[in-house]
């Protein structure tokens, strides 16, 4: 089955760190751009970061630049999002998504990150 | 404030057609044919329903169609069904420091 499964979410204090993981199955992970998209409670979708197939290019929304790092390990078939200096406004469900034809054609189920003291 | 502007809500009766607009600028919607649309039911992950302005992925009903004129893209749903009640988001490629921009979302209510 073609799918993406995220993990690593949870409750973290402001200023803390968290690493999210996304494990794909059913397709050749190393051929695709991959992204993270988040959705704050009751709010809309917000693109967070993207990386190219070999991980050499990385792009971020301005609000997370310098705090978040997207990375991938094609040998381990995994995508990551390292989140540092977390803020209350980073509270959201974080989705892993596959890029295809300048769209996100495959999404994970999401993992909830809550930043609160 | 979202980069792309969508109406907060639209509604229609079963069998009718509705259109959701997505307005951007020449730096995103107007400059590229890379607009996509997503359907999201409560508590679920988004689902791609239109890519590259007007293309439907395999398995998506032909009741969904997309178009673009200038800086505004549109999603039309014909023959409304109860199961179409959901939130809909547009997304575009954009030039500049943020290459991906979303609309704020539109809640579709099937009366």
């Amino acid at each position: 089955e073609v799918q993406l499964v995220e993990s690593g979410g949870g409750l973290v204090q402001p200023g803390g760190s968290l690493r999210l993981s996304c494990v794909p199955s059913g397709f050749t992970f190393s051929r695709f751009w991959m992204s993270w998209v988040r959705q704050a409670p009751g709010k809309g979708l917000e693109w967070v970061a993207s990386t190219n197939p070999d991980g050499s290019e990385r792009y971020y929304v301005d609000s997370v630049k310098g705090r978040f790092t997207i990375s991938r390990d094609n040998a381990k078939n995994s995508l990551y999002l390292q989140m540092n200096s977390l803020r209350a406004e980073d509270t959201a469900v974080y989705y892993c998504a596959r890029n295809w034809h300048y769209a996100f054609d495959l999404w994970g189920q999401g993992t909830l990150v809550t930043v609160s003291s | 404030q979202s980069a792309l502007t969508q109406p907060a809500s639209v509604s229609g009766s079963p069998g009718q057609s509705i259109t959701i607009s997505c307005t951007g600028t020449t730096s995103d919607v107007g400059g590229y044919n890379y607009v996509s649309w997503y359907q999201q039911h409560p508590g679920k992950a988004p689902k791609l329903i239109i890519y590259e302005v007007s293309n439907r992925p395999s398995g998506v009903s032909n009741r969904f169609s997309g178009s673009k004129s200038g800086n505004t893209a549109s999603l039309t749903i014909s023959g409304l069904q109860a199961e179409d009640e959901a939130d809909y988001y547009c997304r575009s490629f954009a030039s500049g420091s943020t290459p991906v921009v979303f609309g704020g979302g539109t809640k579709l209510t099937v009366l």
Side-chain angles (χ1 to χ4, degrees), chain B residues 13-66:
Chain B
S13 299
Q16 289 185 331
S17 295
I18 63 94
T19 296
I20 299 171
S21 61
C22 170
T23 301
T25 69
T26 55
S27 296
D28 38 64
V29 174
Y32 309 92
N33 288 325
Y34 295 139
V35 176
S36 50
W37 290 89
Y38 303 83
Q39 177 191 62
Q40 186 180 34
H41 288 107
K44 301 294 187 181
K47 173 188 175 184
L48 175 67
I49 55 175
I50 296 288
Y51 67 98
E52 292 176 344
V53 176
S54 60
N55 296 312
R56 277 188 311 276
S58 174
V60 172
S61 171
N62 60 9
R63 297 186 299 105
F64 295 91
S65 62

Side-chain angles (χ1 to χ4, degrees), chain A residues 37 39 43-47 60 62 65 95 100-105 107-108, chain B residues 34 36 38 40 44-46 48 51-52 89 91 93 97-100 102 104:
Chain A
V37 177
Q39 186 170 34
K43 302 298 184 181
L45 301 173
E46 180 184 37
W47 169 76
Y60 302 92
D62 286 347
K65 283 179 181 175
Y95 294 101
W100 178 79
H101 286 267
Y102 291 90
F104 299 131
D105 74 320
W107 297 68
Chain B
Y34 295 139
S36 50
Y38 303 83
Q40 186 180 34
K44 301 294 187 181
L48 175 67
Y51 67 98
E52 292 176 344
Y89 295 90
R91 181 221 119 143
F93 176 81
S97 63
T98 303
V100 180
F102 279 101

